Amino acid sequence: MHTGSVTTPFGRRSMTLALVKRQVAANEIKPGKSVEKWKVFRDVAEAREMLGLQDRSVAILDALLTFLPTNELRQDGQMIVFPSNAQLTLRAHGIAGATLRRHLAILVDAGLIVRKDSANGKRFARKDRDGDIETAFGFDLSPLLARAEELALMAQEVVAARIAFRRAKETLTICRRDVRKLISAAIEEGAESDWQAIEDIYINLTARLPRTPSRADVDSLLDEMQLLYAEVLSRLNIHEETEIICTNDAHNERHIQNSKPESIRELEPSSEKEQGAKSGRTDLTPRLASTSFPLAVVLKACPQICDYGQGGAVGGWRDLMSAAVVVRSMLGVSPSAYQDACDGMGPENAAIAIACILERANFITSPGGYLRDLTRRWERGEFSLGPMVMAQLKANSGGAVRRA
């Protein structure tokens, strides 16, 4: 029967307060408690990574349990097994002696077994006149009984995490397939937008997935891939609406001149040309953003710009450009520098540049001069927003996209 005492290890093995605490916890088992030993073993095997165990450690625990004559771990029963190293090696499928000792120590450190060493370190049992075990020295399995509920919960958490991980990978696979085929269909059917740039973003995202991804890798990529999927659908919807408008115009055989060209110059009356609006715009089709990046990706890369949108949010390209005007003034960028950027890059790309500059404002001495330099390099074909946005996206990959 289990004595409930605290013992120290034989020889050079050190004693720690953690070992004392585990022995005390193993002794405080509810009277009458019992559990099927192989059920506990399955829970340990399932939660082995959380417990810091290796496969060999689990194999040795399996071998130890085979030396317990009953199928139950009982509080009022004998739970000390005393096999020799030779017997353990045989039941652990010929494991080397040094490996055996190392993994026994791992099981002790994990709090799954306790050493009950004799005076000379030998493992044996003394029996009374009736043949019952009176005293045993070896490995005490009572921690398995004491921690049975805890081990079961750990196993459930591992199983739930594995299922969630598998579902996340399945969702990512489907999302990647959908984005890939939607982009291909848009390119083949001539949908209006910069689909090559969208495809480049898709390729960059998929290239980040390692051969053996972790749960964090999959979750991060899935989040960005779903944003790209939403942006692709949004652009396809805009294309469909544009086609409907053009078809209706052709059917009615009317040509309506827009007397009030769409512009966003009213966003800052002090600079009529600051937004880069072109006068005399006469088409009635919706204005498509000329940037090569989905808005959702831009907002994830540069989340601070949302604070300067109307109501503290950015819900569209016009909101982003409006926020960029506010940020331009706050950063001390002159209206002429911003106007040159709008003329050279386009108003949407200029707004993206401002958003990126805002993210790195603490590292840029002269935002206005920096924007002028970007504009000149853009016009010479020496600069594109891609690396800048992707660098910010990587820097802020832990953040969430802010929506209106």
Side-chain angles (χ1 to χ4, degrees):
M1 178 179 285
H2 183 54
T3 62
S5 60
V6 173
T7 63
T8 58
F10 171 77
R12 296 181 180 179
R13 302 188 190 99
S14 61
M15 186 64 181
T16 65
L17 294 180
L19 290 176
V20 174
K21 183 178 180 180
R22 289 170 189 153
Q23 290 190 42
V24 171
N27 295 333
E28 296 176 352
I29 301 175
K30 183 179 178 181
K33 182 179 180 180
S34 66
V35 67
E36 204 271 310
K37 66 179 181 181
W38 297 118
K39 179 182 182 302
V40 179
F41 172 75
R42 288 191 295 271
D43 291 338
V44 171
E46 199 73 68
R48 60 184 179 276
E49 292 185 3
M50 295 180 66
L51 292 167
L53 304 181
Q54 302 174 17
D55 291 342
R56 290 290 182 90
S57 307
V58 176
I60 292 173
L61 180 62
D62 181 21
L64 285 172
L65 286 171
T66 63
F67 288 97
L68 193 68
T70 64
N71 280 330
E72 284 190 333
L73 297 170
R74 301 181 58 85
Q75 179 269 337
D76 56 354
Q78 170 62 35
M79 287 187 288
I80 297 178
V81 294
F82 37 90
S84 66
N85 283 357
Q87 292 173 313
L88 266 178
T89 297
L90 183 62
R91 294 202 186 183
H93 308 291
I95 190 172
T99 305
L100 174 66
R101 290 189 291 273
R102 184 171 69 254
H103 287 285
L104 284 172
I106 290 175
L107 290 172
V108 172
D109 291 339
L112 298 177
I113 62 174
V114 173
R115 293 182 184 272
K116 293 291 184 180
D117 289 344
S118 64
N120 60 3
K122 300 295 184 180
R123 302 174 200 144
F124 63 90
R126 291 196 184 97
K127 297 183 180 180
D128 57 21
R129 293 181 178 180
D130 298 327
D132 296 329
I133 294 177
E134 185 177 55
T135 305
F137 298 97
F139 298 104
D140 189 353
L141 302 177
S142 58
L144 294 174
L145 177 61
R147 300 178 62 186
E149 294 83 4
E150 176 194 352
L151 295 171
L153 288 175
M154 292 174 68
Q156 292 173 12
E157 291 177 6
V158 170
V159 171
R162 184 186 304 124
I163 293 173
F165 187 26
R166 184 175 66 247
R167 289 177 178 172
K169 289 194 291 186
E170 291 173 352
T171 303
L172 177 59
T173 299
I174 294 173
C175 189
R176 286 177 60 184
R177 181 191 66 198
D178 292 344
V179 172
R180 173 68 273 173
K181 291 193 174 184
L182 286 173
I183 293 174
S184 298
I187 294 174
E188 291 172 2
E189 298 183 19
E192 182 181 355
S193 195
D194 190 353
W195 295 109
Q196 185 58 53
I198 297 294
E199 186 173 41
D200 291 342
I201 297 174
Y202 169 80
I203 293 173
N204 288 334
L205 288 178
T206 54
R208 286 168 41 197
L209 189 66
R211 184 179 296 273
T212 306
S214 65
R215 176 67 186 275
D217 293 330
V218 172
D219 287 345
S220 175
L221 187 59
L222 177 58
D223 182 48
E224 295 181 37
M225 192 64 70
Q226 287 176 333
L227 291 173
L228 184 58
Y229 173 74
E231 185 66 24
V232 169
L233 286 183
S234 176
R235 293 194 176 204
L236 289 175
N237 288 336
I238 291 176
H239 173 68
E240 182 180 355
E241 293 172 3
T242 302
E243 286 186 341
I244 293 174
I245 293 175
C246 293
T247 301
N248 290 340
D249 287 347
H251 179 72
N252 295 330
E253 295 182 352
R254 293 184 300 162
H255 298 280
I256 303 176
Q257 197 76 357
N258 188 357
S259 59
K260 295 182 179 180
E262 184 178 0
S263 172
I264 54 173
R265 47 177 85 165
E266 69 274 5
L267 295 175
E268 187 170 320
S270 61
S271 178
E272 293 184 357
K273 294 184 178 181
E274 181 159 338
Q275 293 299 321
K278 305 298 181 181
S279 60
R281 185 172 183 268
T282 58
D283 61 279
L284 291 176
T285 59
R287 186 175 189 274
L288 299 178
S290 61
T291 177
S292 60
F293 280 90
L295 178 61
V297 174
V298 174
L299 297 183
K300 185 165 188 179
C302 308
Q304 293 186 52
I305 193 71
C306 296
D307 294 333
Y308 301 91
Q310 186 174 3
V314 172
W317 286 105
R318 291 177 64 85
D319 292 341
L320 180 66
M321 291 184 284
S322 177
V325 172
V326 178
V327 173
R328 187 278 303 163
S329 178
M330 182 195 72
L331 292 176
V333 177
S334 66
S336 61
Y338 188 53
Q339 175 59 40
D340 291 343
C342 290
D343 291 340
M345 303 180 186
E348 294 88 357
N349 288 326
I352 294 175
I354 286 291
C356 291
I357 292 173
L358 175 63
E359 292 292 321
R360 297 183 55 80
N362 293 336
F363 305 97
I364 298 175
T365 305
S366 175
Y370 184 61
L371 181 63
R372 286 189 184 277
D373 181 61
L374 294 182
T375 302
R376 286 192 295 268
R377 291 167 56 196
W378 177 286
E379 292 172 343
R380 294 196 302 265
E382 299 173 355
F383 166 74
S384 66
L385 287 169
M388 178 182 284
V389 174
M390 295 309 294
Q392 285 302 132
L393 185 63
K394 183 178 181 180
N396 295 327
S397 59
V401 175
R402 303 172 63 175
R403 299 180 181 272

